[in-house]
Amino acid sequence: MANDFSADHRVKALYGFENNLDDGKGGNHLTDHNTVGFTSTDKKEGSHAADFEKDNAEWGSRPDGQLDVGFPLKNEDVTKKIAVCFWIKPESNISPGYLVAKYDTNGRRSLAIVRDYAWLKLYCGYNNGDSAETIDTGYQINNGEWYHVGVSLDGVNRTAYIRVFRASNSAVTEYFKTFANPLHVEDADFTIGARHDGNAAYCQDGLLDEVVVFNELLTSKEIDAIRSGAYSYPMTEVRVETVGAQVAYTDQDALVRVDAAGFMAAYGLFAEIGEVQVNAGGLMVAYGVAPPPRRVFPVPHPKVSWQTHFGKRKFPVVG
C-alpha cells in the first residue's frame, strides 16, 4: 500500500526522497548541500530513503521567501499550526541533531524537531526569536532502528502532540504538552537534516524517509494511517456499539458513533451529499450537509409516535 496525499489541501510538502530532494506535492524543492545520499536497500516508503552523513554535513534547505503560499510557519503565518510526519533510522548520537526545522539561532527561532543524543525534543522559539523553549518528550530513538514520528503543534494555543512508533516491536508512545509561550514565526529557511546555518556539528546522521508537512493539526488516526501507508483524504470512520441507549453524532474526529440497547443499528454514509442515516428499530435519524456539533436522540419508546407535516421535519409525540 502507499499513502495518497493528492486530495489533501493541508499537505504543503511531501519529500519521498526518491533519489532526490524534490517536493512531490508542491514546489518546495530543497537545495542539496554537500550531496545527500540515497539508498534503495534500507527504506520505509517508495524506492529510496535519504541517507544524511553528518561527517559530510549533508542537508537540504529552502529559503522562506520561496516556500509555497500556505506553508506552515512561513513568515507572517498567524495560524501557526504545523504537523510533520517522518521515518527515521539514526546512525549516531549528536547533541543535538536537527531533523526538520525552521530555526536560526541568530534571532530567528521558530520550530526545530531534534534528536539530542537519543532523546526526541522540540525547540519552540519565542521572545521575537531570541529564545527557545525545549519540549523534552523523554523518548529515546535508538541508533540502527526505524521509528515513525508524528508531531502536531499549535503555536497559538501552545499545544504539542507527539506520537512515536517503534518498528522493531510495534510499540506506540504518545506525548502531550502545553508549552508556556506562543510560537514565534520569522523568515528562517526550512531545513531537513540541519538548522538554518548548516553547522556541521548539528547535522543529522542517518536515514530519513517520507517527510510530510501539513499546515493543520493531525489526529492519532491520521498519523497511524500515514505510518501504515494507508492514508487518504478525507478520513472517515463509522463505529457501531451495542450498549447504551442513544444515537449520537460527533464531528470532533470525523467519527460517527451508533449506540443501541440490545440491537445492531444499521447505517449508511453518503460522502457525496455529506449525509448520515441511522435506521434502528423503526427510528430514522438523518443529518444534512452541515450537522450541529452534537445531537442526541432517545431510543424509541413504545408510546412514542413520530408526527410529521408535509415539508417539515419529523418530531416525537408521546401518546
Side-chain angles (χ1 to χ4, degrees):
M1 298 180 66
N3 292 315
D4 181 5
F5 299 105
S6 60
D8 195 340
H9 62 279
R10 307 171 306 165
V11 176
K12 295 306 175 183
L14 168 61
Y15 302 101
F17 301 125
E18 304 303 342
N19 220 23
N20 57 57
L21 298 181
D22 291 348
D23 175 7
K25 175 68 173 179
N28 303 296
H29 311 309
L30 302 180
T31 297
D32 188 338
H33 300 271
N34 302 317
T35 315
V36 174
F38 301 92
T39 174
S40 61
T41 59
D42 194 0
K43 57 188 176 58
K44 295 303 291 185
E45 183 278 335
S47 62
H48 291 77
D51 188 358
F52 294 84
E53 294 295 339
K54 175 185 179 299
D55 291 342
N56 197 37
E58 298 171 3
W59 58 295
S61 71
R62 188 166 185 85
D64 179 89
Q66 296 179 18
L67 294 171
D68 288 348
V69 173
F71 195 94
L73 308 188
K74 181 180 170 72
N75 193 29
E76 299 184 353
D77 175 13
V78 296
T79 305
K80 302 181 183 180
K81 291 181 179 179
I82 182 172
V84 183
C85 292
F86 57 91
W87 285 98
I88 177 174
K89 184 180 181 180
E91 296 174 355
S92 66
N93 293 332
I94 305 161
S95 182
Y98 285 75
L99 306 176
V100 179
K102 207 167 180 301
Y103 197 87
D104 181 1
T105 55
N106 189 27
R108 295 188 295 172
R109 296 171 175 86
S110 288
L111 174 67
I113 305 172
V114 306
R115 181 174 170 265
D116 188 5
Y117 291 105
W119 306 100
L120 180 64
K121 298 180 180 181
L122 306 184
Y123 296 159
C124 299
Y126 70 99
N127 189 28
N128 294 319
D130 292 329
S131 306
E133 180 178 351
T134 298
I135 298 177
D136 186 351
T137 68
Y139 190 89
Q140 293 188 67
I141 295 180
N142 299 321
N143 293 327
E145 292 189 49
W146 277 108
Y147 295 79
H148 187 264
V149 177
V151 175
S152 188
L153 185 139
D154 185 334
V156 173
N157 294 306
R158 301 174 291 108
T159 60
Y161 172 61
I162 300 98
R163 189 173 180 87
V164 183
F165 171 85
R166 186 181 185 184
S168 63
N169 60 5
S170 299
V172 175
T173 302
E174 56 185 3
Y175 179 87
F176 300 87
K177 176 70 174 180
T178 299
F179 46 99
N181 304 282
L183 192 70
H184 177 71
V185 171
E186 208 167 329
D187 61 349
D189 292 355
F190 173 75
T191 58
I192 295 179
R195 66 188 192 189
H196 175 91
D197 61 4
N199 190 321
Y202 307 115
C203 286
Q204 149 73 355
D205 191 27
L207 305 180
L208 290 174
D209 205 356
E210 195 177 53
V211 176
V212 195
V213 182
F214 295 76
N215 67 353
E216 186 54 86
L217 306 182
L218 293 180
T219 66
S220 60
K221 296 181 184 67
E222 290 172 318
I223 293 172
D224 287 349
I226 293 169
R227 180 253 302 165
S228 301
Y231 182 84
S232 62
Y233 181 84
M235 291 188 64
T236 57
E237 179 179 343
V238 176
R239 182 177 301 166
V240 178
E241 301 176 5
T242 57
V243 295
Q246 66 180 19
V247 178
Y249 169 87
T250 175
D251 63 356
Q252 296 302 308
D253 55 1
L255 183 68
V256 177
R257 290 187 179 89
V258 179
D259 300 310
F263 56 81
M264 183 67 70
Y267 65 85
L269 183 59
F270 305 97
E272 65 274 13
I273 59 174
E275 183 178 272
V276 177
Q277 292 183 338
V278 179
N279 296 278
L283 171 66
M284 183 180 74
V285 180
Y287 297 101
V289 174
R294 184 176 179 85
R295 305 183 71 178
V296 179
F297 294 82
V299 170
H301 188 278
K303 294 185 178 181
V304 174
S305 61
W306 287 86
Q307 185 66 44
T308 186
H309 294 286
F310 180 77
K312 296 184 178 180
R313 299 178 65 180
K314 294 182 179 181
F315 59 93
V317 176
V318 178

